[in-house]
Amino acid sequence: MIGPARVLRAAAALQIAQLSANLFMLFCVFVQPLFIAVTAMYILRHRPDFDPMYVVVGAGLSGLWSVALFDGTWAVQSERWQGTLELIAASPAPVMLVVGGRMLGSMAFSLLSMVVCYAVGAWLFGYELVVRDPLGFIVAFAFGLFSLWSIAVLLSPIGILWRTAARFLNVLEYPVYILAGFLFPILFLPGWSNPVSNLLPPYWAAVALHGTAAGTLSRPELMLALLVLVLASAIDLLLARSLLQMVLRAARRAGTLSLT
Amino acid sequence: MRLFAVNALYSYKALFRWQSPEAYVLQKMMFPLIQLTFFALIGQFGGSRPLAFYLIGNCIAVAFRPMFSITTAIADERNGGTLPFLIASPASRIVLFFGRATLHVIDGMFDIVVAFAFAIVVFGLRLPDSSLPGMALAVLVASLAACGMGFFLGALAYVVLDAVFLANVVMFALLLLTGANIPLSELPAPARAFGEALPLTHTIAAARAYAQGLELEAGLPLLIGDVILGLLWALGGFALFTLLEHQARRRGTLEAV
């Protein structure tokens, strides 16, 4: 029996190697957050209460979300296209572990978007970037990343089970940037959309990260955000497990594990 | 004429080889509107300019859509394996190359008009009646000029190898450097100079001026400037394509160009 840690590590390493050669994902991690960060810096710097860290966090989150969305939706599909889904299904390692490992690699890779955005603020614009609640920020970052990873894992079976829905999911990149308030408060949105925002884990990740970076989030508020992130992640992972099993059952029954 | 018409039609139909009707609506029509919303809301939060500044800039910038289509229409000849046939054919290169844009220009104008309708309905953008002739002209010029850039990118994709990556980078460059979201005066001198050389920069300025009541004639120099720029980018693309074709024939690498 292969140890779970070894499966996770091997899947993550393979994923990072694949992403490093994928121009579209490189665009999502490096180019898009860079342009968004620069554009947002120029637009928002006129605010009297401008904090460049707000842009760094918001634009960085956009990179994390894009990777979770696109890579998650494509994770199982790509195994099928590459002809490796049969091998994964037949291996003794649980599929959930393999997909989880791959998404772990994706999320680790997506951290580079935060680095890019930090570089934009610190070097390109020369701002002094200050995190006012470093401990809270680190905790919020870990929980936020975990929640995005859970969403990516959940998206992977959806991407293959309901392909029309998956096509719709691909369009959710910008709507989540908007509804989660990555670069402006959701108060700018119509009131009816606020409950939708409250249901989105990226919104709570943004609340926790923006709040701890600016030092404006009290401990109870931070705890609430973290609690929502943990609950949402638990639901995502439970659903993902059931859906992945459904994918394998359906594919075995129909004999469509492979496209070749 | 027949070659021109057939080429224009099939180049447009090829768009639907990779885009099903729902993808057309979701990716091609909805995506620019959501992106427009995102940047308009950042602009509103920034508060340094009126919301109309961002709405008009981003509506005109929706012209990046036909640019994508043209870029892939040219670059996909290699992926589709039809490039050697194209190069070996006796057909006029000028007709083959430029005929592709015809329907994409119209499609691009439709995208921009939809964007303006969206901005009016959702954000309450107000355009005076007197601005409509100028706006209509700006929509036409934006689509034409963006297609000119698409020709260049399509040819450049044979060197860079990934047309979508290239078009995505240029899309964000247009959003950043054409004044769609940031006044050119705020950009550093080299970025401003590059922005002036991009299609859409002058059209965006003209559209904003028309929205503020400028006479049609007064904005014409700006629009003519972008028509010329679009033409120059398109000719640059044609020159690059011709050069690559010449090299491919000499080296016997027709598939790779």
Side-chain angles (χ1 to χ4, degrees), chain B residues 43-128:
Chain B
Q44 194 178 21
F45 180 47
S48 65
R49 308 260 160 188
L51 181 60
F53 175 90
Y54 299 99
L55 290 173
I56 293 172
N58 283 287
C59 281
I60 295 290
V62 166
F64 72 77
R65 263 301 166 198
M67 180 190 82
F68 261 84
S69 307
I70 299 266
T71 303
T72 47
I74 295 172
D76 274 1
E77 297 284 2
R78 190 217 310 260
N79 301 334
T82 48
L83 195 56
F85 301 115
L86 186 77
I87 289 176
S89 88
S92 158
R93 292 292 179 269
I94 292 177
V95 173
L96 271 181
F97 196 76
F98 293 106
R100 281 152 199 266
T102 318
L103 291 179
H104 289 296
V105 169
I106 298 166
D107 197 43
M109 288 172 66
F110 176 65
D111 289 339
I112 303 171
V113 170
V114 168
F116 270 111
F118 177 81
I120 289 167
V121 172
V122 176
F123 289 98
L125 173 69
R126 284 169 181 244
L127 297 173

Side-chain angles (χ1 to χ4, degrees), chain B residues 139-168:
Chain B
V139 168
L140 171 67
V141 170
S143 194
L144 273 172
C147 284
M149 176 58 96
F151 280 124
F152 182 78
L153 296 179
L156 191 62
Y158 288 126
V159 182
V160 181
L161 296 180
D162 193 306
V164 176
F165 178 82
L166 196 62
N168 269 312

Side-chain angles (χ1 to χ4, degrees), chain A residues 23 39 42 46-47 167 174, chain B residues 20 22 35 45 172 186 188:
Chain A
L23 266 182
T39 308
Y42 270 113
H46 299 290
R47 283 185 64 81
R167 209 172 272 153
Y174 275 89
Chain B
S20 59
E22 69 262 26
Q35 193 179 51
F45 180 47
F172 272 102
E186 289 191 25

